[in-house]
Amino acid sequence: MNSRVLGIAGPFQGTAFSLSDRNVSIGRDPSNDLWIADHSLSRQHCLLVSQDGQFAIRDLGSKNGTLVNGMPIGEQLLHDGDHISVGDSVFIFQLEEGEVHLERSPVELTETTEIELSPLLLRADDALYLQSDKVTASLPKTARMALDLNALLKIATGIGGIRDQESLQWQLLGFIFDVVPAERGAVLLFDDTEKFSSAVGWDRVRGPAHPVRVSRTVVQRIRRDGVGLVVNDVSADTTLAHVQTLAELHVHSVLCVPLLVSGKVVGAIYLDSKRATRHFDEGHLQVMTAVAGIASLALDNVRHWEQLQQENQQLRAEVNLEHDMLGASQRMREVFEFIRRVAPTDSTVLIEGESGTGKEMVARAIHRNSSRADRPFVAINCAAIAETLLESELFGHEKGAFTGAVSQKKGKMEAADGGTLFLDEVSELAPSLQAKLLRVLQEREFERVGGIRPLKLDIRLIAATNRLLREEVQKGTFRKDLYYRLNVVSVTMPALRDRREDIPLLADHFIAKASRKCKTRMKPLSAEASACLIAYDWPGNVRELENAIERAVVLGSTESILHDDLPEAVLEAGSPLTASTAKYLGTIKDTKKQLILQALQQSNGGYIEAAKALGMHPNSLLRLIRNLDLKAAVKAGSLPPGTG
């Protein structure tokens, strides 16, 4: 028997713990078999006891108690699907390991009608247990009130330190069943629509697998008016009596109170019962209104805490994230967030995007921010190596594997062992290599060319392509099974034209880089040149922008980078397209042509003299002649050989 407990809420959500034949202790002290650093737990909280192939749970006198299916226990035999609540944590007990189906009672809204009778209503301002000390001090001290006050204290103590919203809802339901004789209950949290953002329900009669059907009519009344209500006899209300689900369940009493935060209804606690002998009354409404007040404060604190925790994690990630990319646009922020989330894992990554968008930089950033950062990062361009050589380059070869293999050689995969292998242009892999790569991903082992024994491999694979692999699969040029193996998590790098707001930032960076490379003084980018850069579509993306900036830095002869210093393609396609601007630029272009032709005519075709007369460098004049298409207008002998 492979029994286990599976965390479904709290710090161990999604974690399974196998149970052997020995006893398993749970508590806050590290000496426990299952240690939970939760201050709402006692040091030795409870014990899972093995009894002839079965398991029981025993509370060890804990301060806040141990709940099974929402009820406090001393010792109880566990059945498959039972829910165990200790502190912030909720576990489900399973007799056999297997596919997990969480046996949480789903919550269903059933109908919308109007309540015809006047139910017992109570506003929070009128609740006895939420009044000031002077008012409550004047109330008669009955036995029931003493019990209610004790229950409120227990609930406040039990849920006050919980820092997980779902755990809070579960624990709250368990405490409520101790206070009100309800058979079904649900804690609902609303969003901005007619639906709820979170719901935890429990059917104590039929078990956790059965849905808790909640009257939409009652909930809408609570949400609209912000009041708690009790319907003592559902059958006496002509509208609720005809609701099919309530009739089928023979519901006799319904109680519902709002969860209020800053005067806004953010949720509701819904309870019902079919026992006519113990229906809900005003006392239950009073105490549940007080419970809702305590729970609302706890829920608001949990939401603030979760928000602060999320913001803290994001800030820490942004501060610690290392990369060499520039960009403040929304598209690039999404890329940075992708790197932050993916880097700590070992998942295979597929990076798609046009050439020049920075796919390798993303791969390096993922590696640099991963646990493999101190291990090798090995990159190989599948399109740059001939198909006959690529297999040996990737997998290595044994001595004598083919003509010229005079010694054993380790391939790129072996070199990347323990680190990251980056396959650029993976779509260019031949079918035979695709099959071998698929085996590597499936088995985490490979064989060298000419080898006879498999070698184990520990790598993280990152693949990149400038094509859409899904389309290549449809064409039949790329294996479908390999595509699914590569496309575990994927990101598409945005083209530069899709993040134009980043162009000035990138341009300044490339100006500084080119100035250092060429040992020239930094030049500012003129407004006209910046406008051209932003308007151009950049089919070569960031790589083309870098080349254009370096060209402008090298060839520019003025104190700043002018739009004339940019490549012809940028000038032609990147100039603003408004009618007035086009007319203005056209006039300037014609004037430049006339001045150049006039200077050349006066210097008898001597471009050096013409440049001197125009007050510019001869190289700048030659570039203008090319940019303005004046070669045909200038006589063949007017320009020196090789300058055209």
Side-chain angles (χ1 to χ4, degrees):
M1 184 176 293
N2 298 317
S3 300
R4 66 176 183 173
V5 289
L6 173 70
I8 61 173
F12 286 100
Q13 184 171 1
T15 305
F17 300 92
S18 296
L19 302 177
S20 58
D21 292 334
R22 63 184 181 85
N23 297 342
V24 176
S25 61
I26 301 175
R28 194 176 77 243
D29 194 279
S31 62
N32 287 281
D33 299 300
L34 182 51
W35 169 44
I36 307 175
D38 180 355
H39 289 292
S40 60
L41 263 68
S42 299
R43 293 184 179 277
Q44 305 293 331
H45 197 94
C46 62
L47 190 67
L48 291 168
V49 184
S50 176
Q51 298 179 346
D52 300 325
Q54 294 182 306
F55 280 90
I57 186 166
R58 179 187 304 155
D59 185 75
L60 300 177
S62 62
K63 180 179 179 182
N64 294 321
T66 301
L67 307 181
V68 175
N69 298 336
M71 298 295 293
I73 56 96
E75 182 170 352
Q76 181 172 314
L77 193 66
L78 291 173
H79 299 90
D80 189 44
D82 280 350
H83 288 61
I84 304 168
S85 300
V86 288
D88 284 356
S89 303
V90 181
F91 300 91
I92 184 172
F93 173 74
Q94 288 187 301
L95 281 174
E96 295 287 344
E97 293 185 12
E99 186 176 357
V100 179
H101 299 284
L102 297 183
E103 296 295 319
R104 177 186 307 169
S105 296
V107 178
E108 299 177 355
L109 293 175
T110 56
E111 84 298 316
T112 303
T113 59
E114 288 295 328
I115 301 177
E116 293 184 357
L117 295 183
S118 298
L120 182 60
L121 303 177
L122 180 65
R123 296 187 180 277
D125 293 342
D126 300 325
L128 295 177
Y129 298 111
L130 297 179
Q131 300 300 312
S132 65
D133 293 340
K134 291 182 179 180
V135 176
T136 55
S138 65
L139 294 173
K141 299 298 186 293
T142 64
R144 178 168 176 177
M145 178 173 288
L147 291 173
D148 289 345
L149 289 172
N150 182 62
L152 291 176
L153 178 61
K154 184 177 179 181
I155 291 173
T157 304
I159 68 175
I162 296 178
R163 291 291 179 265
D164 179 82
Q165 180 175 287
E166 191 169 351
S167 295
L168 178 57
Q169 291 173 271
W170 277 108
Q171 300 286 52
L172 184 59
L173 266 184
F175 286 121
I176 288 171
F177 288 141
D178 285 343
V179 178
V180 178
E183 295 176 316
R184 279 164 297 279
V187 179
L188 315 173
L189 299 180
F190 302 139
D191 55 21
D192 293 330
T193 67
E194 290 294 321
K195 300 179 180 179
F196 39 75
S197 59
S198 177
V200 169
W202 193 263
D203 188 324
R204 299 173 69 190
V205 177
R206 297 191 298 169
H210 295 276
V212 173
R213 293 183 171 87
V214 174
S215 169
R216 190 190 303 269
T217 299
V218 174
V219 171
Q220 285 185 343
R221 176 69 182 272
I222 296 300
R223 191 171 189 180
R224 183 188 68 198
D225 298 337
V227 297
L229 66 81
V230 163
V231 178
N232 290 319
D233 188 356
V234 171
S235 62
D237 188 298
T238 56
T239 53
L240 295 184
H242 292 89
V243 175
Q244 182 179 357
T245 52
L246 296 180
E248 290 175 354
L249 295 173
H250 305 290
V251 171
H252 183 77
S253 298
V254 172
L255 187 154
C256 192
V257 290
L259 297 169
L260 297 165
V261 174
S262 300
K264 179 182 178 182
V265 179
V266 298
I269 301 174
Y270 179 93
L271 305 168
D272 68 30
S273 175
K274 65 179 181 180
R275 290 183 293 179
T277 56
R278 297 186 62 188
H279 59 76
F280 306 147
D281 57 24
E282 183 180 0
H284 295 129
L285 181 58
Q286 287 281 358
V287 73
M288 281 308 303
T289 302
V291 169
I294 296 171
S296 298
L297 181 60
L299 282 167
D300 194 38
N301 288 337
V302 167
R303 285 180 171 178
H304 282 298
W305 187 84
E306 290 179 344
Q307 182 180 357
L308 288 173
Q309 188 180 45
Q310 183 179 7
E311 290 176 357
N312 185 43
Q313 290 175 348
Q314 290 176 348
L315 288 172
R316 286 180 178 273
E318 289 175 7
V319 169
N320 297 328
L321 189 65
E322 296 182 23
H323 60 81
D324 297 322
M325 292 172 285
L326 290 174
S329 63
Q330 178 61 33
R331 295 292 300 276
M332 287 306 295
R333 288 200 298 270
E334 291 172 359
V335 172
F336 298 150
E337 174 65 12
F338 175 84
I339 295 171
R340 182 189 69 80
R341 296 176 63 183
V342 167
T345 72
D346 267 343
S347 298
T348 301
V349 180
L350 176 63
I351 308 171
E352 295 182 314
E354 299 177 7
S355 296
T357 51
K359 297 187 289 295
E360 183 170 345
M361 296 181 75
V362 172
R364 290 185 180 276
I366 292 173
H367 173 74
R368 191 186 307 175
N369 292 277
S370 73
S371 59
R372 300 173 179 263
D374 58 344
R375 307 292 294 174
F377 177 88
V378 179
I380 184 168
N381 189 328
C382 301
I385 303 175
E387 180 182 333
T388 53
L389 302 176
L390 185 56
E391 182 177 8
S392 174
E393 192 71 18
L394 270 175
F395 300 100
H397 61 255
E398 300 287 354
K399 181 179 178 180
F402 50 82
T403 303
V406 296
S407 62
Q408 184 191 79
K409 175 189 174 183
K410 292 184 178 181
K412 297 290 188 182
M413 283 195 176
E414 234 174 316
D417 191 36
T420 302
L421 177 66
F422 174 59
L423 296 181
D424 198 7
E425 305 305 342
V426 70
S427 58
E428 302 299 322
L429 282 177
S432 59
L433 291 182
Q434 291 180 28
K436 289 195 171 186
L437 178 60
L438 178 63
R439 186 190 173 207
V440 170
L441 292 173
Q442 289 175 333
E443 308 297 336
R444 294 294 168 176
E445 63 181 27
F446 73 103
E447 293 177 5
R448 298 191 190 105
V449 177
I452 57 175
R453 65 183 182 90
L455 302 174
K456 291 295 182 181
L457 190 65
D458 173 26
I459 61 168
R460 179 182 195 166
L461 183 67
I462 303 178
T465 176
N466 62 2
R467 301 184 184 182
L468 292 175
L469 276 192
R470 186 180 294 275
E471 294 182 0
E472 298 302 313
V473 169
Q474 293 174 350
K475 294 177 185 176
T477 59
F478 199 84
R479 293 179 64 112
K480 181 186 294 186
D481 46 6
L482 177 57
Y483 168 70
Y484 289 125
R485 283 286 182 178
L486 293 177
N487 192 32
V488 177
V489 288
S490 62
V491 63
T492 300
M493 289 299 294
L496 189 54
R497 62 183 172 275
D498 295 330
R499 56 180 186 111
R500 296 180 190 269
E501 58 267 45
D502 290 335
I503 290 176
L505 180 66
L506 289 166
D508 289 341
H509 170 72
F510 291 140
I511 289 171
K513 182 178 178 180
S515 298
R516 291 193 300 269
K517 178 181 177 181
C518 303
K519 297 180 174 58
T520 60
R521 188 170 57 84
M522 284 274 295
K523 299 178 180 180
L525 191 66
S526 69
E528 294 83 1
S530 181
C532 285
L533 294 178
I534 294 173
Y536 184 52
D537 273 348
W538 300 106
N541 292 294
V542 179
R543 189 179 296 125
E544 184 184 5
L545 174 63
E546 182 176 7
N547 293 338
I549 293 297
E550 184 174 343
R551 176 187 186 278
V553 169
V554 171
L555 299 180
S557 57
T558 59
E559 296 299 316
S560 62
I561 296 177
L562 305 176
H563 71 284
D564 285 342
D565 298 324
L566 301 174
E568 294 180 32
V570 178
L571 286 174
E572 292 172 0
S575 299
L577 300 178
T578 62
S580 59
T581 305
K583 182 178 180 181
Y584 168 73
L585 293 176
T587 302
I588 292 178
K589 187 174 182 179
D590 291 339
T591 303
K592 286 181 179 180
K593 287 181 178 181
Q594 293 176 9
L595 289 173
I596 291 171
L597 290 173
Q598 184 178 356
L600 286 170
Q601 186 177 9
Q602 291 174 353
S603 63
N604 295 320
Y607 75 98
I608 296 178
E609 291 80 5
K612 188 181 295 184
L614 292 170
M616 61 193 309
H617 194 278
N619 288 340
S620 297
L621 176 59
L622 290 176
R623 190 169 71 256
L624 274 175
I625 290 173
R626 288 195 297 270
N627 290 344
L628 297 173
D629 293 328
L630 288 176
K631 292 181 183 180
V634 178
K635 292 182 180 180
S638 299
L639 298 177
T643 61

